[in-house]
Amino acid sequence: MTEAQHFKFTNAVIIAPLVSVIAIWTVFWLELRLHTNFNEFGIVPQTFGGLRGILLSPFIHGSLEHLYNNTLPLGILTAALFYFYRKNALMVLCIGIVISGLGTWLIGRPSYHIGASGLIYVLASFIFFKGIFTKYYRLIALSLIVVFIYGSMLWYIFPVKEGMSWEGHLAGFLTGLLLAVFVKSHMPAAKKYDWEREDYDETDDVFLKHFDENGNFIENVVPEQEEEPIVSAPKVKITYHFKKRKSSDTSD
């Protein structure tokens, strides 16, 4: 598989983040419309009823600020996931929600844990570590971009802010790391240059012909022209037919 075939823009790159963002905003709009909140559908650790929050909590947000803070990272990271890892994207998304939610349910404090931030940590962690593990230059560059933009998120896997579900962040971060380790992603074959081939011959390299044996650059290189073999012309036999005209005397 070539690089152009692997990193291919598809409709999912737009549809997946768009659906994710619309979903969380629709749920928040319903809360305002119905004059209620869905916090009780979030994850409540170590309770049987709180298990439903594993699937429902990513769509529930406590305030407009909470919703806005999760909207851009969710859209950007989901688009990156479906562009660079399109064959594994849906699996990473679904498994990430379940495992990070279950982890929050196991280690969380007895409270309502809501929001898409756990999933965001899954995506950021997976994209970062997977790029490092693959050692592919484009994915490593993507990992560095994630660190540059969202590197400060690392602090929030610790209890540094009151009222924030650091347990959900930690569960999401560890889930992304595990997925990066165990999810197999086939990378395109690295481009092999002429000088990396086993049958490479320096004497046939057009670029190296611009340098002499001392390494001095030669600006104009006259290409060697093969001598054309001299082919002798075929012998042509010409036959002449001469007919002598008879002269006769005429009288008036």
Side-chain angles (χ1 to χ4, degrees):
M1 179 182 292
T2 63
E3 185 177 275
Q5 292 173 330
H6 189 277
F7 301 113
K8 186 178 180 181
F9 187 88
T10 61
N11 292 336
V13 178
I14 296 178
I15 294 174
L18 190 61
V19 169
S20 301
V21 170
I22 290 176
I24 61 176
W25 276 89
T26 300
V27 171
F28 188 76
W29 176 81
L30 285 174
E31 288 184 295
L32 297 177
R33 186 73 174 176
L34 300 174
H35 303 286
T36 184
N37 67 69
F38 298 146
N39 290 355
E40 61 184 20
F41 294 101
I43 298 174
V44 183
Q46 294 94 47
T47 64
F48 181 76
L51 288 171
R52 63 186 177 183
I54 293 175
L55 298 178
L56 300 178
S57 62
F59 303 97
I60 305 168
H61 293 80
S63 66
L64 185 61
E65 181 184 4
H66 186 202
L67 178 64
Y68 177 75
N69 289 338
N70 284 343
T71 297
L72 286 179
L74 181 63
I76 293 172
L77 293 173
T78 303
L81 178 70
F82 275 84
Y83 181 79
F84 290 97
Y85 302 97
R86 58 189 174 93
K87 288 191 174 182
N88 307 116
L90 191 59
M91 179 178 64
V92 169
L93 206 60
C94 295
I95 295 178
I97 290 174
V98 174
I99 295 181
S100 64
L102 185 59
T104 305
W105 185 84
L106 290 173
I107 67 174
R109 292 163 290 172
S111 179
Y112 294 117
H113 295 257
I114 58 174
S117 54
L119 176 59
I120 291 171
Y121 273 80
V122 171
L123 298 177
S125 177
F126 173 80
I127 292 173
F128 171 74
F129 286 110
K130 195 63 179 176
I132 300 300
F133 294 156
T134 58
K135 298 179 182 179
Y136 191 78
Y137 73 99
R138 292 187 68 175
L139 299 180
I140 292 176
L142 177 63
S143 298
L144 296 178
I145 293 173
V146 170
V147 169
F148 179 76
I149 299 176
Y150 300 113
S152 60
M153 291 170 49
L154 184 64
W155 295 108
Y156 297 106
I157 65 174
F158 305 106
V160 295
K161 187 176 181 180
E162 188 68 26
M164 179 177 289
S165 178
W166 64 270
E167 300 96 330
H169 298 169
L170 178 60
F173 179 82
L174 295 177
T175 299
L177 174 58
L178 290 174
L179 289 173
V181 173
F182 292 106
V183 172
K184 302 299 180 183
S185 181
H186 299 285
M187 293 295 101
K191 183 179 179 180
K192 204 167 186 179
Y193 295 94
D194 292 338
W195 58 81
E196 297 177 311
R197 301 182 184 277
E198 295 180 358
D199 58 348
Y200 172 68
D201 187 1
E202 294 183 357
T203 58
D204 295 333
D205 194 309
V206 178
F207 177 74
L208 291 180
K209 289 181 179 180
H210 285 275
F211 299 89
D212 60 17
E213 62 276 5
N214 298 320
N216 298 317
F217 180 74
I218 304 173
E219 185 174 357
N220 296 318
V221 177
V222 180
E224 298 180 358
Q225 296 181 351
E226 297 182 358
E227 295 183 359
E228 297 182 359
I230 300 175
V231 180
S232 57
K235 294 181 179 181
V236 180
K237 183 179 180 181
I238 301 175
T239 304
Y240 296 94
H241 296 277
F242 178 74
K243 185 176 180 181
K244 186 176 181 182
R245 183 177 180 182
K246 296 179 180 181
S247 58
S248 57
D249 295 331
T250 57
S251 59
D252 294 332

